[in-house]
C-alpha cells in the first residue's frame, strides 16, 4: 500500500480561484489519509470547520524597525522551512508562482535540498505577471527549481513555454469540482427574490478585474433584455465594480441588475442562474464556468485561454471571439428561447462536469505527481469518476 504523505500547501488564502483549488485539494487529500499543512498568512477561506489530518501554520511578518517594507516573502520562506523541519514534510505544493515558487525554492535551500517542491501555475502568474520584464526571470527560476510543475490548462502550458522559454515537462491538472457540493440545488423558494417567473437569470461571478471584461457582461445583458425579460446577478467585488455600476446606471439597467457581493455558498447562488457569462480577455481555465457546469448551467463566453478546453462550444455553452458581445448575446438568446436545446445543454453540462472534472480523478492526478517526485510507489490512479 502507498505510504500516506505529509504535504505543505501554500496559496493565496483569501481570494481567487487558485486559493479555492488549493484549499479544496488539501481537504480531499486529507480525506485520503494524507497529512496536510497549510502555510499561509491567514486561514484559507474555504477551509471551514476542524478536519482530521489538516493543520494550519500562520505566516507572521517580521516588522523589525529597519524594514521599510515588511518582508512577507522571506517570512513565508522561513515558515515553510520551519514547518517542513518540524512536521517532517515530504513536499511543499505551492499554488501561484509569484512569490510562492521562489519562497519554496528558498525553503528547499534552507533544508539542504531534502525537500521536494511542486508548483501549480494558475493563470495570471504567467499571463500577466510573466509579461513583466522585471518579474520574468524570477518566475522562470521558480519554475526551473520546482521538482514538478503543473498548469491548469493546455493553453497555459503552451503560454508558459513560449513566454519563459521553458522545456521541462509541465503536467496538465485541470481545475475540479467536488460533486458532493456542486450539483443543481433546489432554489424554488429563493428564485422569487431575484426574478419574476417569466424572467431569465443571467449571472457573472468574478473578482471584477479588467481581464474579466465585466463591461461586456453588461453589453450582452442589455442586448438580451431587448428580446426577453431578464435579470442580471453580479457576484463578487473588485476594482472595476464602481465603473460597472456607473455603466449600468447610464444604460438604464439599474432595476434589472442585482449586486450580490461576495458569496460563500457558490453552488446555491449559481443554481439560481439560467446562464453564466464569462467573456474574459484572459482565462487560463475558468473555474466559475466549471462550477456552473456542475450545477447544470451553460456558459456563454469568450474563446480566451483555456476556456475552450472546458466549455465545449455548441454542447455545454457557446464561445465567441473576445469582445464579440453581439455574438454572445445572440447565443444567449438562442439557448434561452429553445427549451429543448437548453435541456440538452444542461444534461451535457452535468455529464461533462461529472466525468472529466470530478474531484476523484483530478486529486488522483496530483497524488500521482507527488509520488513520482518522491520516487515512491504510487496508489492505483483513479481514471474514472464515481457517481
Ligand atoms: O480568476 C482570477 O482572476 C483569479 C485567479 C487566481 O489566481 O486565483 O484565477 C486563476 O486561477 C483559477 C484556478 O486555477 C482559474 O480557474 C482561473 O481561470 C485563473 N484566472 C485567470 O487566468 C484570469
Amino acid at each position: 500500500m502507498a505510504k500516506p504523505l505529509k504535504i505543505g500547501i501554500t496559496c493565496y488564502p483569501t481570494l481567487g480561484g487558485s486559493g479555492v483549488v488549493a484549499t479544496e485539494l488539501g481537504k480531499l487529500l486529507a480525506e485520503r489519509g494524507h497529512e496536510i499543512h497549510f502555510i499561509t498568512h491567514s486561514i484559507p477561506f474555504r477551509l471551514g470547520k476542524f478536519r482530521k489530518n489538516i493543520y494550519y501554520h500562520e505566516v507572521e511578518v517580521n516588522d523589525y524597525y529597519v524594514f521599510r517594507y515588511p518582508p512577507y516573502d522571506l517570512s513565508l520562506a522561513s515558515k515553510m522551512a520551519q514547518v517542513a523541519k518540524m512536521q517532517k514534510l515530504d513536499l511543499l505544493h505551492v499554488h501561484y508562482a509569484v512569490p510562492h515558487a521562489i519562497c519554496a525554492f528558498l525553503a528547499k535551500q534552507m533544508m539542504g535540498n531534502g525537500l521536494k517542491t511542486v508548483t501549480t501555475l494558475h493563470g495570471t502568474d504567467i499571463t500577466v505577471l510573466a509579461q513583466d520584464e522585471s518579474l520574468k526571470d524570477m518566475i522562470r527560476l521558480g519554475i526551473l527549481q520546482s521538482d514538478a510543475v503543473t498548469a491548469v490548462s493546455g493553453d497555459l502550458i503552451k503560454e508558459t513555454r513560449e513566454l519563459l522559454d521553458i522545456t521541462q515537462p509541465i503536467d496538465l491538472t485541470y481545475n475540479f469540482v467536488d460533486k458532493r457540493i456542486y450539483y443543481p440545488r433546489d432554489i424554488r423558494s429563493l428564485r422569487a427574490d431575484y426574478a419574476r417567473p417569466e424572467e431569465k437569470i443571467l449571472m457573472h461571478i468574478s473578482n471584477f478585474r479588467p481581464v474579466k471584461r465585466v463591461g461586456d457582461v453588461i453589453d450582452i445583458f442589455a442586448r438580451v433584455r431587448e428580446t426577453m425579460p431578464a435579470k442580471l446577478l453580479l457576484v463578487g467585488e473588485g476594482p472595476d465594480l464602481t465603473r460597472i455600476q456607473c455603466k449600468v446606471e447610464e444604460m438604464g439597467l439599474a432595476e434589472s441588475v442585482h449586486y450580490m457581493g461576495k458569496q460563500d455558498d457558490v453552488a446555491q447562488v449559481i443554481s439560481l442562474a439560467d446562464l453564466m457569462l464569462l467573456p474574459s480577455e484572459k482565462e487560463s481555465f475558468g473555474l466559475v464556468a466549471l462550477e456552473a457546469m456542475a450545477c447544470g448551467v451553460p456558459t456563454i463566453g469568450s474563446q480566451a485561454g483555456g476556456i475552450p478546453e472546458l466549455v465545449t462550444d455548441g454542447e455545454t455553452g457557446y464561445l465567441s471571439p473576445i469582445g464579440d458581445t453581439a455574438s454572445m448575446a445572440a447565443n444567449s438568446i438562442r439557448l434561452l428561447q429553445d427549451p429543448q436545446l437548453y435541456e440538452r445543454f444542461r444534461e451535457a453540462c452535468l455529464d461533462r462536469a461529472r466525468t472529466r472534472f470530478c474531484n476523484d480523478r483530478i486529486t488522483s492526478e496530483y497524488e500521482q505527481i507527488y509520488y513520482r517526485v518522491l520516487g515512491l510507489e504510487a496508489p492505483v490512479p483513479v481514471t474514472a469518476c464515481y457517481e
Side-chain angles (χ1 to χ4, degrees):
M1 210 185 91
K3 137 183 158 33
L5 303 178
K6 292 183 172 209
I7 303 165
I9 294 184
T10 291
C11 62
Y12 285 106
T14 50
L15 68 160
S18 57
V20 172
V21 169
T23 311
E24 296 296 341
L25 176 62
K27 283 160 43 175
L28 292 164
L29 289 165
E31 279 180 27
R32 286 180 182 225
H34 302 292
E35 194 176 293
I36 304 301
H37 295 266
F38 283 95
I39 309 168
T40 47
H41 61 68
S42 48
I43 294 199
F45 73 108
R46 286 276 181 100
L47 203 50
K49 60 180 177 18
F50 170 79
R51 280 163 201 269
K52 189 173 166 218
N53 289 339
I54 293 192
Y55 303 88
Y56 162 61
H57 308 275
E58 185 169 309
V59 180
E60 281 168 48
V61 180
N62 189 327
D63 61 357
Y64 190 58
Y65 75 99
V66 293
F67 297 144
R68 178 160 178 203
Y69 305 106
Y72 169 71
D73 307 352
L74 299 182
S75 298
L76 174 59
S78 299
K79 191 77 183 185
M80 284 171 164
Q82 186 196 337
V83 174
K85 198 168 164 189
M86 187 171 67
Q87 303 290 345
K88 300 191 173 46
L89 297 186
D90 293 299
L91 59 86
L92 281 175
H93 184 177
V94 299
H95 293 258
Y96 208 88
V98 189
H100 303 149
I102 285 292
C103 297
F105 170 51
L106 282 177
K108 182 152 68 171
Q109 297 286 303
M110 285 182 240
M111 295 287 292
N113 272 334
L115 182 66
K116 299 291 181 190
T117 60
V118 176
T119 297
T120 292
L121 307 173
H122 279 274
T124 46
D125 41 358
I126 298 299
T127 57
V128 175
L129 298 178
Q131 306 267 4
D132 182 334
E133 288 300 326
S134 70
L135 296 175
K136 199 173 189 168
D137 288 344
M138 186 198 60
I139 296 173
R140 187 166 188 276
L141 178 71
I143 290 174
L144 292 177
Q145 294 298 331
S146 300
D147 296 291
V149 179
T150 84
V152 299
S153 63
D155 186 78
L156 185 58
I157 294 179
K158 183 167 162 279
E159 191 150 357
T160 305
R161 292 202 180 296
E162 286 170 5
L163 251 170
L164 297 174
D165 193 21
I166 288 208
T167 54
Q168 79 191 87
I170 300 178
D171 291 285
L172 173 62
T173 46
Y174 285 131
N175 288 177
F176 57 90
V177 274
D178 189 332
K179 56 187 175 298
R180 296 165 299 183
I181 302 170
Y182 288 90
Y183 57 88
R185 304 280 188 92
D186 181 358
I187 43 77
R188 276 169 295 185
S189 60
L190 271 182
R191 197 183 188 280
D193 290 341
Y194 299 97
R196 293 194 304 274
E198 71 280 13
E199 287 176 321
K200 297 293 182 187
I201 296 185
L202 282 65
M203 183 176 285
H204 172 76
I205 305 184
S206 79
N207 51 17
F208 288 71
R209 296 196 175 266
V211 289
K212 301 293 178 183
R213 294 184 71 100
V214 189
D216 285 3
V217 169
I218 310 302
D219 291 336
I220 299 165
F221 176 66
R223 285 176 189 265
V224 170
R225 274 234 21 234
E226 284 166 13
T227 310
M228 59 177 65
K231 286 275 164 61
L232 175 65
L233 270 48
L234 294 174
V235 185
E237 286 176 354
D240 280 357
L241 186 55
T242 313
R243 190 178 59 79
I244 292 304
Q245 280 168 331
C246 294
K247 179 166 173 142
V248 166
E249 296 280 337
E250 280 162 23
M251 292 174 79
L253 295 169
E255 296 291 301
S256 308
V257 178
H258 288 284
Y259 301 94
M260 315 263 295
K262 293 185 181 175
Q263 293 288 333
D264 248 1
D265 193 350
V266 179
Q268 185 83 0
V269 175
I270 288 178
S271 296
L272 288 166
D274 294 298
L275 287 181
M276 180 62 68
L277 301 179
L278 189 65
S280 309
E281 177 98 38
K282 293 177 190 291
E283 199 66 69
S284 64
F285 182 83
L287 178 60
V288 80
L290 173 56
E291 291 171 336
M293 192 185 269
C295 296
V297 178
T299 289
I300 300 295
S302 69
Q303 292 155 347
I307 297 179
E309 294 171 55
L310 163 67
V311 177
T312 313
D313 189 23
E315 280 180 32
T316 61
Y318 285 114
L319 303 180
S320 309
I322 296 165
D324 190 345
T325 53
S327 151
M328 293 182 208
N331 287 333
S332 305
I333 294 164
R334 175 157 34 142
L335 206 44
L336 293 173
Q337 279 183 333
D338 184 340
Q340 278 176 350
L341 182 69
Y342 185 87
E343 195 46 37
R344 262 207 325 271
F345 273 55
R346 179 182 151 78
E347 287 299 325
C349 280
L350 294 172
D351 185 57
R352 186 155 161 74
R354 277 192 213 121
T355 53
R356 181 59 191 97
F357 303 105
C358 71
N359 44 307
D360 309 309
R361 181 171 174 169
I362 311 288
T363 310
S364 169
E365 288 175 6
Y366 279 111
E367 230 179 11
Q368 297 293 314
I369 294 167
Y370 302 152
Y371 283 96
R372 187 186 75 213
V373 159
L374 292 165
L376 295 174
E377 187 196 341
V380 179
V382 178
T383 49
C385 296
Y386 309 121
E387 281 300 318

